[in-house]
Amino acid sequence: MRIEEESFVEEAVAEAYAVKKFDASLADLQNDGEQTLAPLANFVEAALNSDKIASAELWIGDADLLIKLQTSIINLPLHYGKNIHKIMVGDGEVDVNVYMLMDAEKLNKTGSRIDELASSDDFVADVSGNVAKFNDWVKTQLQTIAENEQAAAEADDEEK
């Protein structure tokens, strides 16, 4: 999928893109990640097939964790539409990609991470393969959170 940069920025700033929210537990995510993440991918696939910008959001309430699968023209969350406009000025028609995002306090200093999963065309061509990659990425981020929590706990113990 390709989109006019100006149209993309207008939609992002106005939050005029498709959004679907999901909920799951940390146990669901850890025990059957691909099944838990597949609805996000299916929503994004449907949006891409309809030439729409989209954000699928999975709230893991028992872990205070937000996972998103978004379409964008740059590796910034959609809610940074104004910043996207400052970076991509007058680029005309641009490619749309699919990005994986996670927000969690103990993930890193910013509490947020974004990585490209695939181009929109590659994503639609192999949704199940991309769900597997998305799941692997989520597992890596969860491991990072666990390591950061452990390090913080050890630092607290040393201070006592």
Side-chain angles (χ1 to χ4, degrees):
M1 176 179 158
R2 292 180 59 81
I3 191 170
E4 283 294 326
E5 175 226 323
E6 186 175 316
S7 297
F8 176 87
V9 169
E10 286 173 7
E11 288 180 41
V13 170
E15 296 182 12
Y17 47 86
V19 177
K20 188 161 185 180
K21 298 181 181 198
F22 303 88
D23 291 294
S25 69
L26 184 58
D28 292 338
L29 189 59
Q30 291 173 325
N31 295 333
D32 199 351
E34 287 188 34
Q35 184 173 334
T36 304
L37 298 170
L40 282 75
N42 294 336
F43 175 75
V44 169
E45 176 191 24
L48 288 170
N49 285 333
S50 299
D51 290 329
K52 298 205 184 300
I53 300 168
S55 178
E57 304 175 2
L58 177 64
W59 174 244
I60 309 296
D62 59 344
D64 198 23
L65 173 69
L66 182 62
I67 299 167
K68 297 180 185 178
L69 197 60
Q70 291 185 338
T71 58
S72 187
I73 60 175
I74 191 170
N75 67 335
L76 284 174
L78 288 173
H79 64 271
Y80 288 162
K82 291 181 182 178
N83 292 346
I84 293 169
H85 180 65
K86 291 175 186 175
I87 295 168
M88 311 259 313
V89 179
D91 287 340
E93 191 173 81
V94 293
D95 291 324
V96 173
N97 297 310
V98 178
Y99 292 91
M100 307 168 289
L101 297 85
M102 183 178 287
D103 293 326
E105 183 180 335
K106 298 286 186 184
L107 182 58
N108 55 33
K109 288 182 181 182
T110 65
S112 188
R113 170 118 189 167
I114 182 171
D115 289 297
E116 183 176 329
L117 176 58
S119 71
S120 57
D121 292 338
D122 289 345
F123 182 82
V124 170
D126 185 15
V127 175
S128 62
N130 282 296
V131 169
K133 290 178 190 174
F134 186 24
N135 186 48
D136 289 344
W137 181 85
V138 167
K139 286 179 182 178
T140 299
Q141 305 320 308
L142 293 175
Q143 181 63 37
T144 298
I145 291 167
E147 289 168 1
N148 291 342
E149 288 173 342
Q150 179 67 30
E154 289 172 3
D156 286 348
D157 288 345
E158 288 176 12
E159 289 179 13
K160 292 181 182 178

